[in-house]
Amino acid sequence: LYHLLPFRAAIYQMKPVETEPVIAAMQELFVGLQLKIPQLSTKDLRGGFGWDDEDRWIPHDAQEMFTILVDKLQQCMGMQVEGEEHNPFRTLFRLEEMHIIKAPTRNWVGKPRVEELFSMSIPIQASLEESLEKYFEP
């Protein structure tokens, strides 16, 4: 996430919120990366996710971490921007998936349903390319 310049800029522009330490921890971590500080601690960031020192030895799922991060950033950014269209997190990571039910034998098409997502679950089969092609088939 540090390497996504619009995301980094959005994190730097945010005002830390006392009740959500994730923002301040990410700002501190990003500054450390930018200044190339050799030994950075992720303790504050882990604490922001609700993980203590013992949890650092437990492998955590990247999807779990991303889900927690999405929730916390949306909460914090939602407090600091007017209108969802100005929320940089939503602008960078939001996906829309459209579901349409068709019954060709009855010549019927249901009303499309649009679902907002921040991640996709794609079952990987032979290769990532083939799996993506299959996922996006109509």
Side-chain angles (χ1 to χ4, degrees):
L1 294 174
Y2 168 78
H3 294 288
L4 300 172
L5 296 179
F7 180 78
R8 188 183 335 159
I11 293 295
Y12 282 156
Q13 291 171 3
M14 293 183 69
K15 297 176 188 125
V17 179
E18 285 184 34
T19 57
E20 290 297 343
V22 171
I23 299 301
M26 286 192 80
Q27 288 173 337
E28 196 174 306
L29 196 57
F30 283 7
V31 166
L33 288 168
Q34 196 162 351
L35 296 176
K36 298 181 179 167
I37 296 174
Q39 293 181 344
L40 294 173
S41 172
T42 58
K43 184 176 183 174
D44 292 340
L45 186 60
R46 287 191 323 262
F49 287 123
W51 299 334
D52 60 20
D53 282 338
E54 291 177 17
D55 288 324
R56 71 180 170 175
W57 304 109
I58 300 169
H60 291 281
D61 185 352
Q63 181 67 30
E64 172 192 5
M65 189 191 96
F66 187 72
T67 301
I68 294 169
L69 181 63
V70 166
D71 291 343
K72 295 207 181 271
L73 290 177
Q74 280 193 306
Q75 284 175 347
C76 294
M77 287 185 183
M79 291 182 236
Q80 297 183 23
V81 296
E82 290 184 32
E84 287 295 314
E85 69 277 0
H86 298 328
N87 184 329
F89 188 79
R90 289 178 52 90
T91 305
L92 287 169
F93 297 108
R94 193 182 112 221
L95 304 166
E96 285 185 354
E97 186 173 74
M98 184 181 295
H99 301 270
I100 302 172
I101 298 173
K102 295 181 180 181
T105 57
R106 298 185 135 201
N107 199 23
W108 177 84
V109 178
K111 181 180 176 186
R113 180 177 55 91
V114 177
E115 186 177 339
E116 183 179 85
L117 308 168
F118 287 95
S119 64
M120 296 169 47
S121 294
I122 300 174
I124 303 297
Q125 293 155 1
S127 71
L128 178 59
E129 187 175 297
E130 287 178 24
S131 300
L132 286 170
E133 286 174 10
K134 187 163 182 70
Y135 184 83
F136 288 107
E137 278 180 355

